[in-house]
Amino acid sequence: MAIERVEDVDPTIRDDSAIVTVPVEPTREQQVRDAVDIIITEDNEMLIDGEEPEDNTPQVEDFNSNLADFLDPSALSDISHSILSAISDDKESRSEWEDTYTDGLKYLGMKFDEARSTPFEGSTGVIHPILAEAITQFQAQAYKELLPAKGPVKTEVIGARTPEAEEKAHRVEEFMNWYILNVMREYDPELDMLLFYLPLAGSAFKKVYFETSENKAKSKFIAPEDLIVPYEATDLDSAERITHVLRMSDNEIKKQQVSGFYSDIELVGGGVSVDTDEISEEIDKIEGMSSSYGEGKDNIVYEVHTILDLEGFEDKDEEGEPTGLKLPYIVTIDSKSRKVLSIRRNYYEEDPLKNKINYFVQYKFLPGLGFYGLGLSHMIGGLAKASTSILRQLIDAGTLSNLPAGFKARGMRIRDEDQPIQPGEFRDIDTTGASLKENLIPLPIKEPSNVLMSLLGLLVDAGQRFASIGDMNIGDGNQAMPVGTTVALLERGTKVMSAIHKRLHYSQRVEFDLLAKVFGEFLPPFYPYETGSGTQEIKGEDFASGVSIIPVSDPNIFSQSQRITLAQELLQMVQSNPEIHGPNGMYEAYRRMYSALGVDDVNSLLTPPPEPPPPPPPMQAGTENAGLLMGQPQQAFPEQDHRAHIETHRVLFVLDVVKENPAIQANIVGHIMQHLQFMAEQLAEQQMPPELTQQMDQLAQMQPQMPPEEFEMMSQQVMQQIEQEKANITAPILAELSQSLISSLGQGDAPDPLVQIRNRELDIREKEMDKDNEQFYEKQAQRDREKDTEEKLNRDRLSTQKVVADDKLKVAMDRLEQQARLKMIELNQKQGDQQ
């Protein structure tokens, strides 16, 4: 297609003769535009009609890949800057908490300061050990309770307690205890360290995860200063940002880069290499250590569990449009170079809600007013400072009192004045002629104050009461003290520690739940392991559901002394009245006492009570007669032939030995009465109204649609009605059979009671037949009545239909007659008009 181009030959000429049209060939670009349709997108992207826009979403094959390898460097720089700025704000928001924590470290008294020059050179630098004592005693008590020698885990079945569920719970308990004690070798020292930091700082943390480099699950202790959360965070589950401070060497970072876990980037920058906060400096002072690494040998790496809206990895709705919702990620940043080492998704691929995966567990000493709990540094830190100040004053006063100082006259000289005077030594002095008393003027220094001493004792007692480290003198009381008084004294002295122990129990349960999830996710379907009892095996599906994993520690008892005291009181109660505690009461009380004392293999010391003898099996009638003749009572059973047994036992009454022994007669009559009872119940079941049995059957059919509580209640009501009706029917039958049988015992010419029983059965059968006949005639009469009623209804229906038809016919005739009259009137009117 030719395109005309208008050219102005002479700009000064404006007439039409000066304008010419020159045909030119189209350019290549113009030819392309004419050949295809060009579309401009909303992003100002030029597309050819039919061509799909280019998808800029990074193609990531593995869901768990490091997304930092697929993002633009400028985007990574923005992410690093934003997160590091947020971490700085988070640390600033907890500055007061860090100050209190640092003061608590100072007043532990683990480092003695000998270089004090105030209030005088050489004054004491001692620190009162009240804070260290409280922390040490708490750590010692909690450590033994949370990690017993046989393992910290026990399990409970959730739902119905079937043999399969019990076996699965046992497998989980045995495996987790074995794994924690034998494979997770770091669990013991990590928990030991946590329980030392916890009362000092108020919070401590555990991180539960699977370490791929070591191919095992880990539960790692995190110092409270190494886990940072935002100011607005209240707990770990709802916190939108959790920062774990990692201290790694250059070689450790390089190892992670070689394995592909971190991005292979150059870590060279101008930041600080070591986190030099006051808490770390104070801990180094306490340990008496200092960093000997040079620049770049020790790095701070921030592992940040946060939420981001990454470009190219946005959350999208069903139509594929971005929702703007931020998703959970784990971002690792090197603080020295300020570069992102890795970004990984922190949610499961199959989770439609994309909820974050939590790896952390918080242990709290006291709940506090915010995220970080309160510790002894916060609660009795002021008492520790005051006690330390008073103790230093008392020691300094004693030092000045023992080594007095003062003024001497300028002209007075003492020979060898630099050497101290030894006991029994007199030294020459040169005076100016005045008395020695006038040349020496000592300073007015007082002895250590008794008021300060009393105040120190008051402060120490207050701190010990709060920390529950005072001695509980329960054993010094009266041995006949009531149980309630003993328990009340024990609770009053330990209520603070009991509440703290419940918090530890809850946190350890959360930790074990996370550990079970790690096992269920990373263990193979079948995992064999060796124990002292041989080769065992755990299934991966055992951790899915149906088993509750809880700490073995008792949340209501936190110390062995408390456990022993309660077990001892229980033993005294059982010993005081063993009759009401059953045959196993004494054995169980001693077993619990030995368990509280920590005695192993209690069953080797105690002899369990004998098992009750099994019930005797059913015997033949002749064997029962032999026992009855020897005076041994016999037992009847429902499945026996009662008529044959009664006839066999009745023969005994004709024997002279029985006639002369009333005791044997009483045993025979009693045993026969048992058979009569079973016979009467069998006859009563034949006469039971069928409506009750039908109710039970209908109730069984309705069970799947009914709530369990309602079904249980209704079934009990029906069973009570059946038992009541059965008792009402059984009583007269049993009375009649008993009267007839007992009156005939020992009388050969008397009517045979078995014949009477048979006649009774025939009478019952005859009554049933009469009842069936009555029901048949009743049904037949009912059918006749229904037939007569139906015939009457038919006759009435026909009569009604005839009346209706007659009425319709009359109405039709009247309508025709009326129409005829109208036509006659119209005809007459027309004729009149014509005339």
Side-chain angles (χ1 to χ4, degrees):
M1 178 181 65
I3 300 177
E4 295 183 351
R5 185 178 62 190
V6 178
E7 295 182 348
D8 194 350
V9 178
D10 189 353
T12 60
I13 302 175
R14 295 300 178 186
D15 59 341
D16 296 338
S17 60
I19 300 176
V20 296
T21 301
V22 181
V24 296
E25 292 296 327
T27 63
R28 177 61 179 171
E29 180 181 357
Q30 292 171 340
Q31 293 176 359
V32 171
R33 290 182 180 179
D34 292 336
V36 298
D37 294 331
I38 305 299
I39 300 176
I40 305 298
T41 66
E42 296 179 356
D43 300 331
N44 294 325
E45 183 181 359
M46 184 175 67
L47 300 176
I48 301 174
D49 186 18
E51 179 184 6
E52 295 293 334
E54 182 181 357
D55 187 5
N56 295 323
T57 303
Q59 300 299 320
V60 181
E61 296 181 358
D62 189 2
F63 180 81
N64 299 316
S65 296
N66 183 5
L67 303 184
D69 296 334
F70 303 92
L71 294 176
D72 186 78
S74 60
L76 293 177
S77 178
D78 294 340
I79 293 173
S80 174
H81 176 76
S82 175
I83 292 179
L84 289 177
S85 177
I87 293 174
S88 178
D89 295 339
D90 296 343
K91 292 192 66 175
E92 182 65 26
S93 66
R94 70 170 192 177
S95 57
E96 294 186 3
W97 175 85
E98 290 182 351
D99 294 339
T100 305
Y101 180 29
T102 305
D103 289 341
L105 292 171
K106 293 178 181 178
Y107 282 92
L108 279 179
M110 297 183 180
K111 182 175 178 58
F112 182 74
D113 189 4
E114 298 180 352
R116 298 185 75 245
S117 58
T118 55
F120 59 89
E121 189 70 31
S123 58
T124 183
V126 68
I127 297 176
H128 197 282
I130 177 175
L131 186 60
E133 182 183 3
I135 292 173
T136 304
Q137 290 206 16
F138 167 80
Q139 191 267 351
Q141 291 178 353
Y143 180 52
K144 186 176 182 180
E145 290 297 316
L146 297 182
L147 189 61
K150 295 182 180 180
V153 176
K154 69 178 180 181
T155 55
E156 292 182 354
V157 176
I158 300 177
R161 303 183 68 89
T162 62
E164 294 78 10
E166 294 281 357
E167 184 179 356
K168 180 169 70 172
H170 177 72
R171 286 198 305 268
V172 172
E173 177 180 343
E174 185 180 49
F175 171 76
M176 291 193 67
N177 283 321
W178 171 84
Y179 199 94
I180 290 174
L181 297 178
N182 295 276
V183 180
M184 298 174 61
R185 299 296 182 116
E186 73 284 351
Y187 188 88
D188 194 321
E190 294 281 336
L191 180 63
D192 195 8
M193 184 67 71
L194 179 142
L195 295 176
F196 181 81
Y197 272 82
L198 179 62
L200 179 63
S203 287
F205 303 91
K206 278 289 196 73
K207 183 180 180 182
V208 182
Y209 61 101
F210 188 83
E211 181 62 59
T212 54
S213 61
E214 301 180 19
N215 194 29
K216 71 173 184 178
K218 300 192 73 173
S219 180
K220 185 176 179 60
F221 162 68
I222 301 177
E225 67 270 16
D226 289 340
L227 194 132
I228 308 170
V229 297
Y231 168 79
E232 63 274 6
T234 56
D235 54 68
L236 290 172
D237 292 332
S238 61
E240 293 188 349
R241 183 174 54 257
I242 302 174
T243 303
H244 179 199
V245 181
L246 301 172
R247 290 168 173 81
M248 304 176 66
S249 65
D250 290 343
N251 188 62
E252 289 175 333
I253 297 178
K254 189 66 177 176
K255 185 187 300 183
Q256 297 292 345
Q257 289 179 329
V258 172
S259 65
F261 191 78
Y262 287 165
S263 297
D264 190 11
I265 58 177
E266 188 69 24
L267 299 178
V268 178
V272 295
S273 59
V274 181
D275 190 7
T276 56
D277 54 15
E278 294 184 3
I279 297 178
S280 300
E281 292 178 355
E282 191 63 34
I283 293 176
D284 289 341
K285 289 181 181 179
I286 293 175
E287 295 179 347
M289 301 176 63
S290 60
S291 176
S292 59
Y293 294 129
E295 178 106 9
K297 294 294 185 181
D298 198 6
N299 301 276
I300 297 298
V301 175
Y302 295 120
E303 181 183 291
V304 188
H305 297 238
T306 184
I307 53 176
L308 298 172
D309 187 12
L310 296 180
E311 182 179 359
F313 301 95
E314 300 90 347
D315 179 62
K316 298 181 180 180
D317 56 17
E318 296 179 355
E319 298 178 355
E321 296 296 329
T323 62
L325 182 68
K326 295 182 178 181
L327 300 179
Y329 293 94
I330 300 178
V331 183
T332 309
I333 303 175
D334 176 56
S335 64
K336 184 173 64 174
S337 63
R338 305 178 68 86
K339 292 183 178 181
V340 176
L341 297 174
S342 67
I343 300 178
R344 281 183 165 82
R345 296 181 177 93
N346 191 28
Y347 56 90
Y348 293 112
E349 185 176 5
E350 63 275 8
D351 185 6
L353 301 178
K354 296 181 175 59
N355 294 320
K356 75 170 183 179
I357 304 173
N358 184 32
Y359 297 91
F360 302 97
V361 181
Q362 182 180 17
Y363 284 77
K364 281 189 177 183
F365 189 79
L366 294 174
L369 305 177
F371 175 81
Y372 294 99
L374 299 179
L376 294 177
S377 300
H378 306 83
M379 308 308 296
I380 63 173
L383 295 177
K385 289 183 180 180
S387 301
T388 298
S389 176
I390 295 175
L391 180 61
R392 289 180 177 181
Q393 292 179 48
L394 292 173
I395 294 177
D396 289 343
T399 300
L400 294 176
S401 177
N402 293 332
L403 299 174
F407 303 96
K408 68 176 182 177
R410 186 180 299 276
M412 186 184 71
R413 296 182 60 190
I414 302 175
R415 296 180 182 179
D416 301 327
E417 60 183 1
D418 293 337
Q419 298 179 359
I421 299 177
Q422 302 296 325
E425 177 185 3
F426 290 89
R427 189 169 295 178
D428 297 334
I429 61 173
D430 297 330
T431 65
T432 57
S435 64
L436 184 60
K437 181 178 180 181
E438 295 176 355
N439 286 275
L440 294 175
I441 303 176
L443 292 175
I445 299 174
K446 296 182 179 180
E447 295 286 336
S449 173
N450 291 328
V451 176
L452 289 180
M453 184 68 70
S454 301
L455 180 58
L456 177 62
L458 181 64
L459 294 178
V460 172
D461 291 341
Q464 289 182 343
R465 283 197 305 271
F466 181 86
S468 299
I469 61 175
D471 294 332
M472 296 179 293
N473 297 322
I474 297 178
D476 298 338
N478 187 4
Q479 295 297 327
M481 184 184 299
V483 177
T485 305
T486 303
V487 175
L489 290 175
L490 186 64
E491 182 179 359
R492 185 181 66 179
T494 61
K495 55 186 177 182
V496 175
M497 193 62 65
S498 297
I500 296 171
H501 185 63
K502 283 189 176 182
R503 298 186 195 100
L504 299 183
H505 184 86
Y506 168 78
S507 298
Q508 195 175 38
R509 180 169 186 170
V510 175
E511 178 185 355
F512 290 156
D513 287 341
L514 293 180
L515 191 60
K517 290 180 180 178
V518 171
F519 288 146
E521 183 177 356
F522 291 97
L523 283 182
F526 296 95
Y527 183 83
Y529 60 97
E530 296 290 338
T531 64
S533 57
T535 302
Q536 307 294 330
E537 189 176 62
I538 189 71
K539 301 177 182 179
E541 62 182 14
D542 290 344
F543 298 94
S545 61
V547 177
S548 176
I549 302 171
I550 56 178
V552 73
S553 59
D554 189 343
N556 301 311
I557 299 176
F558 74 94
S559 66
Q560 186 176 9
S561 59
Q562 186 181 9
R563 189 177 293 105
I564 292 175
T565 301
L566 295 177
Q568 186 176 8
E569 296 299 330
L570 174 63
L571 179 60
Q572 292 178 3
M573 293 176 63
V574 175
Q575 289 176 342
S576 64
N577 198 348
E579 291 80 8
I580 66 173
H581 291 87
N584 297 337
M586 190 68 67
Y587 169 80
E588 183 64 22
Y590 274 101
R591 190 193 65 79
R592 296 187 182 186
M593 187 65 195
Y594 282 122
S595 298
L597 292 173
V599 178
D600 295 332
D601 196 10
V602 178
N603 294 330
S604 63
L605 297 174
L606 296 176
T607 301
E611 295 291 336
M619 293 186 295
Q620 298 296 328
T623 307
E624 290 179 349
N625 280 348
L628 291 172
L629 288 175
M630 291 186 293
Q632 299 174 357
Q634 301 297 313
Q635 176 65 40
F637 294 89
E639 63 271 14
Q640 290 176 329
D641 187 353
H642 303 293
R643 294 187 183 89
H645 277 255
I646 292 174
E647 180 63 25
T648 304
H649 302 325
R650 195 167 66 89
V651 175
L652 292 179
F653 274 85
V654 301
L655 301 177
D656 294 337
V657 66
V658 174
K659 293 179 180 180
E660 297 174 358
N661 195 331
I664 296 178
Q665 292 181 356
N667 285 337
I668 296 174
V669 172
H671 184 62
I672 292 177
M673 291 300 297
Q674 293 179 1
H675 286 287
L676 288 177
Q677 176 67 33
F678 287 126
M679 288 183 65
E681 291 178 356
Q682 293 175 357
L683 293 174
E685 289 179 357
Q686 298 176 7
Q687 302 181 36
M688 287 289 293
E691 294 82 5
L692 293 178
T693 306
Q694 293 175 0
Q695 288 183 11
M696 202 64 190
D697 296 338
Q698 294 174 357
L699 192 60
Q701 295 176 359
M702 297 169 57
Q703 180 180 2
Q705 291 79 24
M706 297 176 61
E709 298 81 4
E710 183 179 356
F711 174 77
E712 184 69 22
M713 180 183 65
M714 295 185 65
S715 60
Q716 289 181 359
Q717 293 177 355
V718 175
M719 289 300 297
Q720 290 176 358
Q721 294 177 3
I722 293 176
E723 293 297 330
Q724 183 65 33
E725 186 67 23
K726 186 176 180 180
N728 295 336
I729 299 175
T730 303
I733 297 176
L734 180 62
E736 182 179 353
L737 294 177
S738 302
Q739 183 66 29
S740 175
L741 182 63
I742 294 176
S743 62
S744 65
L745 286 176
Q747 301 176 9
D749 55 349
D752 191 348
L754 296 179
V755 175
Q756 294 182 352
I757 292 173
R758 185 59 180 172
N759 293 333
R760 175 70 177 177
E761 292 179 354
L762 294 175
D763 293 340
I764 293 173
R765 182 59 181 168
E766 184 177 356
K767 290 180 180 179
E768 290 179 353
M769 293 178 64
D770 293 340
K771 186 176 181 180
D772 292 340
N773 292 332
E774 291 177 0
Q775 291 178 353
F776 173 76
Y777 291 128
E778 179 73 23
K779 290 181 180 178
Q780 187 65 28
Q782 179 67 22
R783 284 195 294 269
D784 294 341
R785 287 193 296 269
E786 291 176 354
K787 185 177 181 180
D788 295 341
T789 302
E790 186 177 358
E791 291 178 354
K792 182 180 180 181
L793 289 175
N794 291 334
R795 288 194 300 271
D796 293 341
R797 188 181 300 109
L798 291 174
S799 177
T800 303
Q801 291 175 355
K802 182 178 180 182
V803 172
V804 171
D806 293 342
D807 291 340
K808 288 182 178 179
L809 179 60
K810 182 179 180 182
V811 171
M813 294 297 293
D814 292 342
R815 187 182 296 112
L816 293 174
E817 183 179 356
Q818 185 178 6
Q819 291 177 355
R821 285 198 301 268
L822 290 175
K823 288 182 179 180
M824 290 296 297
I825 294 172
E826 291 177 356
L827 183 59
N828 293 332
Q829 288 180 352
K830 289 181 180 180
Q831 291 176 357
D833 292 340
Q834 290 176 359
Q835 293 176 359

